Structure formats: C-alpha cells, structure tokens
C-alpha cells in the first residue's frame, strides 16, 4: 500500500516523493488512540520531522485516504511544522495551559496543511476547522494560531500527528520499516536535526527540478528562503566576463598608450569569444529565462557571443549581436536537465582564449560527469550563474539574487 502511494507521488508530486525517500518510514501494526477535549481520536500517522509512522487505521482507509495522509505528513516535514509548533507553544507557555496551546497549534497547522492539499487537487473533502478559506490562504500557521488565542475559540478536536522534533524512537511497534531513510538524517544529534532536515528538503526540491518538474509557488518560496542569496550577481557577472576578456590582450611598446604617450599600449592576442549556455529545461521558470537572456544580450556588447540553449540536448545555437538575435529564441519549458552531453559536443570548439558562461538553476541529473568535463575545458574563464545550486569546476560562481 505504501508503494502505491509512492508511485502516485512520483507521478504527480516529485518533491514529496524525493522527500519521502529521505525519511525513515515505519508501519506500526497497532491502533493509536489519543484523548482530545474528552474525545477519543484515532491517529492515522505522525511525524517528528525525520521519521514517519503509519498506524493500523492508516491501512484501513481507501487508496485516496492513504495517499492524502502520507501527503499530509510530508507537508508537515516540508514546512518544518514540528519545529514551528514547538516554538509556537514555547512563546505562549507563560500565559496559557500547555494542553490549550497544543490544541490550538494543531488546529492552526492542520488547517494550513488541508488548504495546501486541496490546492494540489488531491482531495476536496477537507475542512479548515472553522477558519474561512481566505484566512487560511493568506495567513501563516503562526497567524492562525494567534487568531485562535485572540478569540479564545474552542479548538476543534484534531488528533496531534506532530511529535516533538526527533522524538520518535527507532523501535518498530509490531510492524516493519518501509523505508530506512537517509542515515545522516535518521542518526543526526538533536542540536543538528533542524539543519539536516532543511538540507534534505533542499535536496528533494532540487531533485524534482532536475527531473524537469516545475515547482509550485509554495515550493519555490521554500527553496528560495532556504537558499537566500545576498550577492549582486549582475555586477559580478559583467566583472567576471570583462576580466576574462582582458586576458586576451598584452602590453606592447610597438603601440603607445592612447591616454599617456610615455606608456606602452596593448595588442590583442586573439579575438575573445563568449560562449553562453542557457538552461531551458523544465525546472527553469520564464522569469529566470528572461533574466538569463538579458545577460546574454549585455555580454554581446562586450564581445562576440555564441548562445547555446539546452536541456537534455542542444535546442538552439546562434550568434548574438543585437536584440533581434535573442527575441526569437524559443522557450518550450520542458524535459529534464543533463549538461555532460552538451559540454562534450562543444569541448573542441571552445578555445583557450574564450570565456565559458553557464546560466542555469544548477539542478542537473549528471552533475558529477558534467563537472569532470567542465574542468577539462580550455577556456580562459569559466563562469557559473545559478539561481539555486552551486556547481564545482568553475572559476567564478555567481548566485542569482531572489527578488522579494
């Protein structure tokens, strides 16, 4: 049954699929019942951020119910809810009883998760526990929590499926391990747990992008916030290209300086050439594509430029001299991302005096092989401009700033 859930995730929600493979997943063949506001509620599943436990009542659901439950738990991990819930309760613990804070936090967090599940189109049979849909859409879980406290509303009886971070043990209760998970995460000490979980979240998002999946707005926001950059990449890019071009000139007394006659001038060793490889795979947004093409056009003002668009194969090769040369470039937005075959195709064409620029999100399916080939290039300067992942093998790595 869990494998069937994974197949659905792999087809429709790759990020959640890759995230599930990193967690320790245990099926406990027991019924777990908790008391919430005097009501006995059966727990279907729970997570502490690095493990997911599925209980007997999870297996008793139909297929849609099982999938929704797994998605529900994975969204808790993706949004770091175990840590956020602890913080919510801690901040208000001096003013309210812990059991009230715990109930409010569960209600607020689950309302938000239900909204995300409905927006994914998996199931519409989910409630927001008394909140209006526009409230759940616009407010964070923390703001919904505060709203409940302000109104002193009675929290809905929601079964707590959020264990304290790292609290779920390694024992298997009358069941079996369905997925071992990433040991670096499973065995992480408590003080390193949050950082390790954030790392696997980023890895899962990047793996989905590398597979050609276009991230949702929520996923993009999560990835951008975890990889927030403070670098002014545009100025660095122009400086890096200019530095590469400058190395193709040498001083000579056969030609005096135009500015000061008593100093030597410069002789051009060879005509510099800039190769701009622009990623147009399925993980690239149109906004990123527009930014990339803008920089290619700017580079053409400095030197001769050859533009190469690619995803798993070369899509277009053209000289860029003016605006009309880039306006006709097609952006089909599809497919995965591999760079090694592209580098191989142009390896002999890129000269030692050329500048090599790759504009991408860095989410490649063949990074190791591609890096090996990039290191073999003879270009005087190798520049990476990336919106997400940094790749080795380049002289200069420029991280694109994410706009607010």
């Amino acid at each position: 049954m869990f494998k069937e859930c994974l197949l659905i995730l792999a087809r429709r929600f790759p990020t959640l699929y890759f995230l599930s493979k990193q967690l320790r997943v245990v099926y406990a063949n027991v019924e777990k019942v908790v008391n919430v506001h005097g009501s006995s509620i059966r727990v279907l599943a729970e997570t502490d951020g690095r493990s997911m436990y599925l209980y007997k009542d999870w297996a008793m659901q139909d297929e849609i119910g099982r999938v929704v439950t797994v998605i529900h738990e994975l969204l808790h991990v993706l949004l770091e809810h175990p840590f956020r819930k602890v913080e919510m309760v801690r901040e208000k613990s001096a003013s309210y009883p812990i059991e009230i804070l715990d109930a409010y936090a569960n209600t607020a967090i689950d309302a938000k998760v239900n909204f995300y599940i409905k927006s994914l189109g998996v199931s519409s049979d989910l409630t927001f526990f008394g909140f209006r849909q526009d409230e759940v859409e616009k407010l964070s879980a923390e703001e919904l929590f505060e709203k409940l406290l302000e109104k002193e509303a009675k929290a809905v009886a929601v079964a707590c499926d959020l264990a304290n971070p790292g609290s779920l043990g390694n024992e298997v209760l009358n069941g079996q391990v369905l997925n071992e998970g990433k040991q670096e995460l499973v065995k992480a000490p408590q003080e390193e747990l949050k950082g390790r979980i954030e790392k696997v979240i980023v890895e899962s998002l990047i793996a989905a992008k590398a597979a050609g999946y276009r991230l949702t707005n929520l996923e993009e926001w999560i990835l951008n916030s975890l990889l927030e950059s403070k670098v002014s990449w545009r100025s660095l890019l122009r400086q890096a290209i200019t530095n590469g071009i400058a190395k193709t000139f040498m001083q000579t007394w056969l030609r005096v300086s135009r500015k000061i006659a008593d100093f030597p001038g410069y002789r051009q060793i060879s005509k510099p050439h800039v190769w701009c490889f622009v990623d147009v795979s399925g993980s690239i947004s149109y906004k990123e594509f527009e930014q990339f093409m803008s920089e290619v056009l700017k580079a053409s003002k400095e030197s001769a430029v050859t533009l190469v668009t690619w995803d798993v194969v070369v899509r277009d090769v053209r000289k860029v001299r003016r605006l009309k040369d880039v306006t006709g470039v097609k952006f089909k937005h599809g497919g995965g991302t591999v760079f090694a075959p592209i580098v191989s195709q142009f390896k002999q064409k890129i000269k030692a005096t050329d500048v090599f620029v790759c504009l991408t999100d860095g989410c490649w399916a063949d990074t190791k092989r591609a890096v090996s080939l990039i290191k073999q290039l003879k270009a005087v300067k190798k520049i990476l401009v990336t919106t997400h992942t940094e790749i080795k093998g380049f002289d200069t790595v420029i991280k694109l700033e994410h706009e607010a």
Side-chain angles (χ1 to χ4, degrees), residues 50-61:
R50 64 176 166 191
S51 298
M52 184 197 306
Y53 270 58
L54 304 172
Y55 295 104
K56 191 172 182 179
D57 283 290
W58 168 80
M60 300 300 291
Q61 301 178 99

Side-chain angles (χ1 to χ4, degrees), residues 156-187:
V156 178
V158 177
C160 177
D161 60 341
L162 289 175
N164 287 335
S167 64
L168 291 179
N170 289 326
E171 72 279 1
V172 181
L173 305 173
N174 299 319
Q176 63 187 107
V177 175
L178 305 181
N179 188 62
E180 292 290 348
K182 190 171 185 177
Q183 294 306 297
E184 178 185 336
L185 173 63
V186 173
K187 297 181 179 180

Side-chain angles (χ1 to χ4, degrees), residues 6-42:
L6 291 183
L7 286 174
I8 293 172
L9 293 180
R11 288 196 301 267
R12 294 190 59 187
F13 314 110
T15 295
L16 298 181
Y17 169 77
F18 288 118
L19 182 59
S20 71
K21 301 300 288 184
Q22 307 235 38
L23 305 181
R24 185 172 188 266
V25 182
V26 175
Y27 173 70
N29 192 33
V30 296
E31 295 178 350
K32 183 168 183 177
V33 181
V34 295
N35 185 280
V36 181
H37 301 317
S39 301
S40 295
I41 301 203
R42 294 177 178 273

Side-chain angles (χ1 to χ4, degrees), residues 141-153:
E142 285 79 1
E143 289 171 321
L144 295 174
F145 174 65
E146 291 284 350
K147 204 171 184 68
L148 286 172
L149 290 176
E150 288 172 9
K151 292 181 176 180
E152 294 186 355

Side-chain angles (χ1 to χ4, degrees), residues 6 187 262 266 356 359 397:
L6 291 183
K187 297 181 179 180
D262 292 331
Y266 288 88
F356 172 74
L359 302 102
V397 176

Side-chain angles (χ1 to χ4, degrees), residues 208-222:
K209 283 175 72 70
Y213 169 69
R214 185 173 184 178
L215 301 186
T216 63
N217 290 337
L218 170 66
E219 291 169 330
E220 284 285 3
W221 177 83
I222 293 170

Side-chain angles (χ1 to χ4, degrees), residues 335-398:
T337 318
V338 292
F339 196 46
I342 316 302
V343 179
S344 298
Q345 190 170 332
F346 289 87
K347 184 178 176 182
Q348 301 303 320
K349 297 179 182 179
I350 299 174
K351 300 177 183 178
T353 54
D354 292 345
V355 177
F356 172 74
V357 184
C358 181
L359 302 102
T360 177
D361 58 6
C363 304
W364 304 347
D366 63 342
T367 303
K368 188 174 181 180
R369 182 164 171 252
V371 168
S372 177
L373 291 171
I374 290 168
K375 289 179 178 179
Q376 296 174 31
L377 293 176
K378 298 176 181 179
V380 68
K381 196 78 173 178
K382 303 171 192 175
I383 305 166
L384 172 70
V385 178
T386 176
T387 54
H388 288 299
T389 305
E390 296 185 12
I391 305 292
K392 295 179 180 179
F394 292 86
D395 304 313
T396 302
V397 176
I398 299 167

Side-chain angles (χ1 to χ4, degrees), residues 51-313:
S51 298
M52 184 197 306
Y53 270 58
L54 304 172
Y55 295 104
K56 191 172 182 179
D57 283 290
W58 168 80
M60 300 300 291
Q61 301 178 99
D62 60 17
E63 184 180 56
I64 294 297
R66 291 192 293 268
V67 171
V68 168
T69 301
V70 170
I71 290 175
H72 185 104
E73 300 308 313
L74 290 172
L75 284 173
H76 279 322
V77 178
L78 189 68
L79 294 163
E80 301 183 62
H81 281 159
F83 296 94
R84 291 167 63 183
K85 178 189 170 184
V86 168
E87 190 62 23
M88 286 183 208
V89 173
R90 185 192 64 77
E91 287 185 355
K92 302 292 183 179
S93 58
S95 306
Y96 298 87
I98 295 296
E99 60 271 17
I100 293 295
L101 294 175
D102 194 65
Y104 281 172
N106 290 335
T107 301
I109 288 172
D110 275 6
K112 196 70 182 178
V113 168
N114 281 356
F115 171 78
Y116 288 134
I117 293 176
K118 288 187 78 169
S119 67
L120 292 173
V122 183
S123 173
S124 58
D125 187 25
L126 297 168
T127 67
F128 301 140
F129 310 117
F131 291 110
R132 299 192 313 272
Q133 180 166 329
D134 64 312
E135 289 180 316
V136 183
E137 181 178 6
K138 295 176 181 178
L139 302 179
S140 67
E142 285 79 1
E143 289 171 321
L144 295 174
F145 174 65
E146 291 284 350
K147 204 171 184 68
L148 286 172
L149 290 176
E150 288 172 9
K151 292 181 176 180
E152 294 186 355
K154 181 179 179 181
V156 178
V158 177
C160 177
D161 60 341
L162 289 175
N164 287 335
S167 64
L168 291 179
N170 289 326
E171 72 279 1
V172 181
L173 305 173
N174 299 319
Q176 63 187 107
V177 175
L178 305 181
N179 188 62
E180 292 290 348
K182 190 171 185 177
Q183 294 306 297
E184 178 185 336
L185 173 63
V186 173
K187 297 181 179 180
Q190 191 66 28
E191 63 275 11
E192 297 178 13
L193 183 57
K194 190 171 187 294
R196 296 284 178 87
I197 289 176
E198 288 181 348
K199 182 181 177 182
V200 301
I201 290 171
V202 170
E203 289 174 350
S204 301
L205 289 162
I206 288 173
K209 283 175 72 70
Y213 169 69
R214 185 173 184 178
L215 301 186
T216 63
N217 290 337
L218 170 66
E219 291 169 330
E220 284 285 3
W221 177 83
I222 293 170
L223 186 56
N224 292 347
S225 64
L226 292 176
L227 294 177
E228 187 176 6
S229 172
K230 303 297 182 182
V231 180
S232 177
W233 73 282
R234 289 179 175 84
S235 60
L236 286 175
L237 175 60
R238 287 192 285 274
Q239 180 184 353
I241 291 176
T242 302
N243 289 346
I245 292 173
K247 291 183 180 180
T248 64
F249 291 79
M250 65 174 293
Q251 282 188 330
T252 175
W253 283 100
L254 296 174
R255 180 181 301 167
V256 296
S257 171
R258 293 181 180 180
K259 294 182 179 180
I260 306 174
D262 292 331
F263 284 85
Y266 288 88
R267 177 172 66 87
Q268 189 173 20
I269 301 171
S270 63
K271 185 177 181 180
H273 195 99
V274 180
W275 294 82
C276 291
F277 290 78
V278 173
D279 185 351
V280 293
S281 64
S283 62
I284 299 294
S285 68
Y286 188 71
K287 186 176 181 181
E288 288 173 309
F289 173 73
E290 282 188 320
Q291 290 175 324
F292 291 163
M293 296 308 295
S294 173
E295 293 312 314
V296 170
L297 187 60
K298 289 174 184 175
S300 71
K301 307 300 181 184
E302 304 288 341
S303 186
V305 169
T306 296
L307 167 67
V308 180
T309 56
W310 57 277
D311 43 36
V312 293
V313 295

